[in-house]
Structures are given as structure tokens and as C-alpha cells.
Amino acid sequence: MTERKNILITGASSGLGAEMARQFAAKGRNLALCARRLDRIDELAETLRGEHPGIQVVTRKLDVTDSEAVFTVFREFRDELGRIDRVIANAGLGKGQPLGTGYFERANKQTVQTNVVGLLAQCEAAMEIFLEQQAGHLVVIASVLAQRGAPRTLTAYAASKAFAASLGEGIRLHQGSGPVKVTTLKPGYIESEMTARAPKNPLIVSTEKGVRDMIATIEREPKSAFVPRWPWSVVAPMLRIAPDWLLRKVM
Ligand SMILES: NC(=O)c1ccc[n+]([C@@H]2O[C@H](COP(=O)([O-])OP(=O)(O)OC[C@H]3O[C@@H](n4cnc5c(N)ncnc54)[C@H](OP(=O)(O)O)[C@@H]3O)[C@@H](O)[C@H]2O)c1
């Protein structure tokens, strides 16, 4: 398999995105990093350039809910690095409240705009570049929560991740055996800013460990995968058949 040298990561200012940037930099890859908090991205880029002098790291401020900006920034990154070999559509928001409790604008809509329309824009912009290059690897970050609807604060988030999983699969089916590869990743619980705000899950793993598994999986370029593989390749399919009372208890 050809090495994907130039990697674009959205949502690289914290959590999984920032750690993927660190671990890909250690593998000698060039990086295009974006998020809304540019100060954080620039600081990370500075550190990575210092630690790995052979690599190129370029940065941009990007709010993925600004669709036009997504296309502009992706093209600027492509022009700056010469080509983009892999896009990791990772930016995501985990804000949510039970529906009907007054949080449409303040939480649920923001989550859906980021994780659904924002993700669609990222995939469109990535695919335009890949189709022009006749090569590329799109990685869609969904979640194990794509498996089932979820109660309480997770309802809109889980629905948005079901969209992500379906979108990734749909793009992959359309591409068939063509030159553009598509992987949908469904992470379980990995430490990040997002999971720090949620009730502690006993199956959570450190950012470093979770992302190590994500990177190994991304490099294999499977159609889709649960990460970390253990225990999620066993637990996630069980979510599909779990009774309602159990889901209400564990989610
Ligand atoms: N951690 C887990 O256990 C887990 C499990 C399943 C799936 N995921 C998914 O993994 C991805 C990364 O999440 P995380 O856990 O690393 O959480 P995180 O630490 O909160 O990181 C989320 C990232 O997304 C960016 N982001 C949020 N809204 C954005 C917007 N409108 N435009 C651009 N960037 C935006 C944030 O950057 P700015 O705020 O600077 O814009 C940040 O860099 C998400 O898609 C999440 O749903 C995580």
C-alpha cells in the first residue's frame, strides 16, 4: 500500500485530532491541521516542527459549519502541500440535551450542524480533491453510538453519528474499487475534552492508547472498524440487540 504522506486532520486542536497529529508526525507525515482554536493548532504545529524537523505542518482556522470556508481551506491546504493523500474528518461536537427541554438552539442544533452538515461539507471538499487527483483516502470519524439511538444528552449526538456512519459507507459504495478509498471509524470511549465532560465510562482508554489503535487501523484502510478493537468489536454489535432497559441504564 502506498504511504499517505500528506494528511489533513480537522478538529486537530484537542483530543483525538491533536493526538493523531502527534502520532502521524512521529511517523514522518506532513500535516494540514485545522479547527476554530487557531492558537492551539499553531502551538501544536510549532512543537511538531521542532520535534520532527523533516516534516511540513500547515495550519488554518476553520469552523466546519461554514461550508464555503471548508472548501476554501481544503483547497488552500492542497495548494500549500502540493497534494492531499488522506483527509480525516474528525471535527465533532458532543453537546446535547433531551429533546423538548429548551436546548434546540443551544445544544442539539449545534451538534447536528457540526456533525452532519459540517461533516458533509468536509467529505464533499475532500472527495473533490481526491477525484481530481484520482487518489486519496477519506476517513470518517463516526462512533460506536452510531449503532443505536441513545437517551438523555446523547440523543442528537448518536443520531448525528448514525448519519456519519451511513455517509462514510455510502461514499465508499459509490467509489467501489476505484482509486479513492473510504474508511469509517467508530471509536468507543477514549479520553478527550469531549469525554471529560461526560459521565466516566468504565471502558474508557487514554488518548495515547486509543489513538495508537486508531492510527494502526487507519493505516490498514479497512471499510469500517470499531476502535479500540478490544472491547468494542465485541461490545458494539451487542448494542444493536441490547434491550431498551439496558440501553437506558448504560448510556
Ligand atoms: N473521544 C471519544 O471517546 C470519541 C468516541 C467516538 C467518537 N468520537 C469523535 O471523535 C472526534 C473527536 O472528538 P474528541 O473526542 O477528540 O473531542 P474533543 O477533544 O472535544 O475534540 C473535538 C475537536 O473538534 C473540533 N470542533 C468542534 N466543533 C468544530 C467546528 N464547528 N469547526 C471545526 N472544528 C470543530 C474542536 O476544535 P475547536 O473547538 O478548536 O474548533 C476539537 O478540535 C469527534 O468527531 C467525536 O464525535 C470521539
Side-chain angles (χ1 to χ4, degrees), residues 73-142:
V73 165
F74 278 31
R75 286 180 197 133
E76 286 173 357
F77 277 147
R78 188 263 324 269
D79 294 345
E80 225 169 328
L81 292 179
R83 58 183 284 119
I84 299 290
D85 300 309
R86 175 179 285 149
V87 170
I88 306 179
N90 166 75
L93 193 64
K95 255 184 174 179
Q97 289 296 332
L99 269 69
T101 61
Y103 286 89
F104 173 64
E105 288 292 343
R106 277 180 292 164
N108 297 327
K109 185 174 154 191
Q110 281 178 42
T111 292
V112 169
Q113 276 174 334
T114 307
N115 299 357
V116 174
V117 184
L119 177 66
L120 180 65
Q122 292 167 68
C123 292
E124 292 265 16
M127 287 306 296
E128 274 189 15
I129 292 171
F130 291 159
L131 291 174
E132 208 179 299
Q133 294 177 167
Q134 280 296 292
H137 180 211
L138 173 64
V139 182
V140 176
I141 305 295

Side-chain angles (χ1 to χ4, degrees), residues 56-76:
Q56 240 184 308
V57 187
V58 294
T59 61
R60 286 279 186 294
K61 184 184 176 81
L62 176 65
D63 183 338
V64 296
T65 64
D66 179 348
S67 303
E68 216 179 295
V70 173
F71 286 87
T72 306
V73 165
F74 278 31
R75 286 180 197 133
E76 286 173 357

Side-chain angles (χ1 to χ4, degrees), residues 11 13-14 16 36-37 62-64 90 142 157 161 188 190 192:
S13 60
S14 67
L16 311 187
R36 293 168 301 181
R37 289 170 291 178
L62 176 65
D63 183 338
V64 296
N90 166 75
Y157 177 78
K161 290 299 177 179
I190 302 171
S192 71

Side-chain angles (χ1 to χ4, degrees), residues 6-240:
N6 298 343
I7 302 179
L8 189 166
I9 305 173
T10 67
S13 60
S14 67
L16 311 187
E19 183 61 20
M20 282 192 278
R22 284 186 206 102
Q23 294 192 20
F24 274 124
K27 285 169 157 280
R29 311 299 171 82
N30 298 322
L31 298 169
L33 307 178
C34 54
R36 293 168 301 181
R37 289 170 291 178
L38 185 63
D39 52 335
R40 288 231 198 165
I41 303 265
D42 280 340
E43 201 178 308
L44 175 62
E46 203 52 47
T47 306
L48 297 179
R49 286 186 205 108
E51 288 172 357
H52 312 284
I55 67 167
Q56 240 184 308
V57 187
V58 294
T59 61
R60 286 279 186 294
K61 184 184 176 81
L62 176 65
D63 183 338
V64 296
T65 64
D66 179 348
S67 303
E68 216 179 295
V70 173
F71 286 87
T72 306
V73 165
F74 278 31
R75 286 180 197 133
E76 286 173 357
F77 277 147
R78 188 263 324 269
D79 294 345
E80 225 169 328
L81 292 179
R83 58 183 284 119
I84 299 290
D85 300 309
R86 175 179 285 149
V87 170
I88 306 179
N90 166 75
L93 193 64
K95 255 184 174 179
Q97 289 296 332
L99 269 69
T101 61
Y103 286 89
F104 173 64
E105 288 292 343
R106 277 180 292 164
N108 297 327
K109 185 174 154 191
Q110 281 178 42
T111 292
V112 169
Q113 276 174 334
T114 307
N115 299 357
V116 174
V117 184
L119 177 66
L120 180 65
Q122 292 167 68
C123 292
E124 292 265 16
M127 287 306 296
E128 274 189 15
I129 292 171
F130 291 159
L131 291 174
E132 208 179 299
Q133 294 177 167
Q134 280 296 292
H137 180 211
L138 173 64
V139 182
V140 176
I141 305 295
S143 166
V144 291
L145 290 175
Q147 296 290 94
R148 283 291 288 275
R152 292 183 280 275
T153 56
L154 290 173
T155 304
Y157 177 78
S160 76
K161 290 299 177 179
F163 171 86
S166 175
L167 185 71
E169 182 172 38
I171 304 168
R172 182 183 62 73
L173 287 171
H174 183 76
Q175 291 307 312
S177 58
V180 181
K181 303 287 171 244
V182 184
T183 296
T184 304
L185 276 198
K186 298 171 184 167
Y189 286 87
I190 302 171
E191 279 174 359
S192 71
E193 284 185 7
M194 191 183 286
T195 48
R197 288 189 295 267
K200 191 89 176 163
N201 187 293
L203 299 177
I204 199 160
V205 296
S206 72
T207 319
E208 200 273 333
K209 183 187 180 319
V211 169
R212 206 176 333 115
D213 203 274
M214 286 174 76
I215 299 257
T217 307
I218 289 171
E219 296 277 63
R220 285 194 288 107
E221 306 189 2
K223 295 173 182 176
S224 85
F226 297 107
V227 285
R229 190 166 170 183
W230 174 256
W232 294 103
S233 56
V234 175
V235 174
M238 284 161 61
L239 286 175
R240 281 243 186 244

